[in-house]
Each structure stands twice: as C-alpha cells, then as structure tokens.
Amino acid sequence: MRMSELVKRSGVPLATIKYYLREGLLMAGESHGATSATYDEEHLRRLRLLRALTEVVGLPLQKVRDVLHVLDTPTTDLYAALGRAVAALPPYPPTGAREFPRAKAVLDQLGQVYDPKFPAVAQLERALEAAEAVGLPLSPERAEAYGRHVRGIAEAELSGMPEGSTQQAIEYAVIGTALHEPVLAAMRRLAHQHLAHQRLKGKTRAHRR
Amino acid sequence: MRMSELVKRSGVPLATIKYYLREGLLMAGESHGATSATYDEEHLRRLRLLRALTEVVGLPLQKVRDVLHVLDTPTTDLYAALGRAVAALPPYPPTGAREFPRAKAVLDQLGQVYDPKFPAVAQLERALEAAEAVGLPLSPERAEAYGRHVRGIAEAELSGMPEGSTQQAIEYAVIGTALHEPVLAAMRRLAHQHLAHQRLKGKTRAHRR
C-alpha cells in the first residue's frame, strides 16, 4: 500500500510515521524510485504496536526501542526474549540491589522458579517493603492466597499466547502485561465493593443493575 | 507522651508534625499551658497513616484530607464510608462520563453488585477501552477467569478487615487497596515467568533458588 493508505489504516499521522521511519522504529517500505515506496501488513502491525506502547502504555522512546530490539533480534530462546521485552515496562526499580529477602521468601513459599535479575523481583521486594513499613506486611496465608489466584490469572493469560510466531508471542506478552494490569486493578476494587455490599448490607437491597 | 517522643516513635520529623497540626491533619495534643502538650497512641496511629498515604502511596494532600474526612466523620454506613475513602486513591478517571458499556458488560457477566458512581467503574471502562484499542479486548472467557480469581483475592483481603472499629476498617481498606496493588502486579509478572519457564524450558534446568 501507499503511504496515504498506511496513514489511513493505521490512524497514525503522516508526520509521526515519517519520524518513526527516520528513527528506525518503523522499517523502510519497498522503494520504487526516489520518492515512492510501498508498505504492507507488517508495517501496519508495527504501527499498531508503536501506538500501543507510546500512547496507551506511555513508554518513553528508549524503552520502546528496547522492546523493538527484542522483537527484531532473531532468537531461539523465547523465554529469555519474553523476559527482556517485559523488563522494558514500568515500574523501573533502582538497579544495584542484590538482595531481595522478602520477595525471595514469598517466591520460595510458592515454589516458583525465578530469575533474580528480572526487574519484577526487585519490584516485589519494594512493594512488600512498603506494605511492611506501614504495618500491613504480607502474611504467609495472604501470600498463599495471592499466589494461588495470581497463578490462575497468569495461566489464563499464557494459554492465550500465540504459538506460531515468536514476534507475535512477544507482542502479546508486552501489551497484555501492560494493558491488562489496570483492568485487574479496577476489577479488584469492584470485587471489594461487591463483597463488602454482601457482607455489610445483606442481600435485601438489590443494587445490581 | 511529649512531642520529642512522638517524633522519635513515629519517625516523622518535628517540622512535618507541626505542619500537620497547623493544617488540622493531626489532632491537637492535650494542652498543659501555653507551650506544652502531650500526645497519645491515637496521634501515633494517625501519623503512621499520614506517612503511609503521603510518602508510600504518594497521595496529594487534598486526597489525604478526603480520606481523613471520611475517617473523622461518624457513620453507621461503613459500606458507603469505605467507598468514599477508597475513591480518594488514584487513578482519577475523568468525571462526567455517564456510560460505561464495557465495564457494565463485564460486571453483569460476573453478577456483581456495583455503584456506577464509584470511580473504579470508570477506571475499568477506560482500561477495557485501552486494551480494545490495541487489539487485545477482554474476551468473555478471560473476563470469567479474571473475575473468579480477583474475587478470590478480594475475599482473602476482606476476611482480614478489622471488625471492631469503623476507623480501623477504613484505614485497612485504604492502605491495603493501595499498597497491595503493586504486590499483586509484581506477583503476576513473576507468575508469568514461572509458567513460561515450565512451558518453554521444560523442567530439566532447575532455576529455583
């Protein structure tokens, strides 16, 4: 397709597409002479990903580059590639920490395999530390309940991962991790409301709509 | 206790405590003459809450006031008070929207009671809209799995809510909602890593530490 159609179908403005081309974030089209090039479904797909990462997830451009670098590097180790790509997502815990005693205790309790270099380990350590600091440490019982249900969520998510293409699997993991997190956070608050309603109001007043 | 002991036991600097007193965020101590006052466990408790909300959760001062206002207003309707207190937490969806078709569909599917004025409804609508915009809408199967596991999480959380005191119940709900959210987000990423390891690497290489 022509550039004009790429603009139309992607919903990304011409100036932004040109910027992505200059910055190497979007691969060049097939050239037909000095001023004409054509683009295909791969370009459209990449533009959708760029929009998701920049506009919706709000990644800084350097982190977008990190994701694209993982996508564009051929690999036989999908596991490592997924880890590198998801590591581009916020939050970004301070690097340098080497000990994660709280996170390690929870992960050991749950029998989970993990790589301590993965930023989510430091992220969990900081979150546990903050909860502890205000007098709400994670009890082993709570850790067990969280672990069981979070694993159920992760299983549903992994079962939807496209199997055919490494690129598609990585895109799915990055976008799904980032975009379904706020869905889950909102659903948690609404589950609190639902349960509190049942517990505190009884079932006499029907608030269901 | 004297102010010096309050500073020491709370870990909050003197200047900050004086600021909280001036702003009415911390109740005055018991006065003994013009320059002397004593404080008790209630002051300590309030300072811990103020630290949690400002330093750890990062709430702007106006939202801290909203939480304190709920705490300091006697109520017989704990359900409504919990809703108002938790509504002070970010994110703050734009007000004014009246229709939440995506959130409503999910909540109806799950058979949940909800109040459409509760900000989490707008928060869920926005999150679902964003996921849909990048080609990752929440399927009914995924909504069912999320709903089931999120409700399990919320049940564990509600079962830990202090029953005796309305104030303590509200503090628990606000701090727990805010501070365990990042714990759950980190645990989700680590569950992905664990499951991806099992699926992609088999169980031959032991990465468990």
Side-chain angles (χ1 to χ4, degrees), chain A residues 74-154:
Chain A
T75 179
T76 54
D77 190 347
L78 177 57
Y79 175 73
L82 287 172
R84 279 199 301 277
V86 172
L89 296 175
Y92 308 115
T95 51
R98 285 278 161 274
E99 298 295 323
F100 311 103
R102 295 168 187 83
K104 190 177 176 321
V106 169
L107 291 163
D108 286 346
Q109 182 192 334
L110 300 176
Q112 281 188 210
V113 168
Y114 66 99
D115 181 341
K117 290 193 300 295
F118 194 58
V121 179
Q123 184 189 346
L124 179 59
E125 181 69 22
R126 278 168 64 94
L128 291 170
E129 206 176 343
E132 200 180 295
V134 298
L136 215 69
L138 200 71
S139 68
E141 297 71 34
R142 181 68 65 87
E144 193 281 323
Y146 277 8
R148 184 158 34 90
H149 290 295
V150 166
R151 198 173 304 181
I153 287 168

Side-chain angles (χ1 to χ4, degrees), chain B:
Chain B
M1 72 191 88
R2 299 260 175 177
M3 175 61 94
S4 55
E5 197 185 340
L6 189 65
V7 169
K8 199 172 156 191
R9 287 186 60 195
S10 67
V12 178
L14 177 61
T16 308
I17 295 181
K18 287 190 165 172
Y19 173 74
Y20 289 156
L21 284 166
R22 273 199 310 277
E23 292 286 319
L25 298 168
L26 180 68
M27 43 284 193
E30 195 186 341
S31 179
H32 307 282
T35 59
S36 170
T38 54
Y39 303 89
D40 60 19
E41 296 299 319
E42 273 304 297
H43 294 89
L44 207 52
R45 181 178 183 83
R46 174 58 57 96
L47 281 174
R48 266 201 293 262
L49 177 67
L50 285 167
R51 247 188 90 196
L53 295 179
T54 53
E55 288 177 32
V56 186
V57 181
L59 283 197
L61 216 57
Q62 185 48 49
K63 298 292 177 180
V64 174
R65 274 185 215 286
D66 290 350
V67 173
L68 296 184
H69 181 71
V70 177
L71 280 176
D72 294 339
T73 307
T75 178
T76 53
D77 189 348
L78 178 56
Y79 175 74
L82 287 173
R84 278 198 302 276
V86 171
L89 298 175
Y92 309 116
T95 52
R98 285 276 162 274
E99 298 294 323
F100 310 103
R102 295 168 188 83
K104 190 176 176 322
V106 168
L107 291 163
D108 285 346
Q109 183 192 334
L110 300 175
Q112 281 187 211
V113 166
Y114 66 99
D115 181 341
K117 290 193 299 296
F118 194 57
V121 178
Q123 184 189 346
L124 179 59
E125 181 69 22
R126 276 167 66 92
L128 291 171
E129 205 176 344
E132 199 179 294
V134 299
L136 215 68
L138 201 70
S139 68
E141 297 72 34
R142 181 67 65 86
E144 192 281 324
Y146 277 8
R148 184 157 34 91
H149 291 294
V150 166
R151 197 174 303 182
I153 287 167
E155 273 164 5
E157 293 171 328
L158 235 75
S159 74
M161 189 160 80
E163 303 238 335
S165 140
T166 300
Q167 285 225 353
Q168 285 185 22
I170 296 173
E171 285 184 25
Y172 174 86
V174 173
I175 299 186
T177 299
L179 287 183
H180 286 163
E181 194 170 279
V183 170
L184 286 162
M187 285 180 76
R188 174 172 169 249
R189 296 192 191 184
L190 290 164
H192 289 154
Q193 194 187 30
H194 173 71
L195 294 171
H197 187 271
Q198 291 195 316
R199 184 159 145 185
L200 299 172
K201 292 260 171 174
K203 293 188 179 187
T204 47
R205 282 171 55 189
H207 267 226
R208 194 180 292 186
R209 287 148 211 265

Side-chain angles (χ1 to χ4, degrees), chain A residues 4 82 85 88 94 118 135 149 156 164 174 183 188 203:
Chain A
S4 55
L82 287 172
F118 194 58
H149 290 295
V174 174
V183 170
R188 175 172 168 248
K203 295 189 179 187

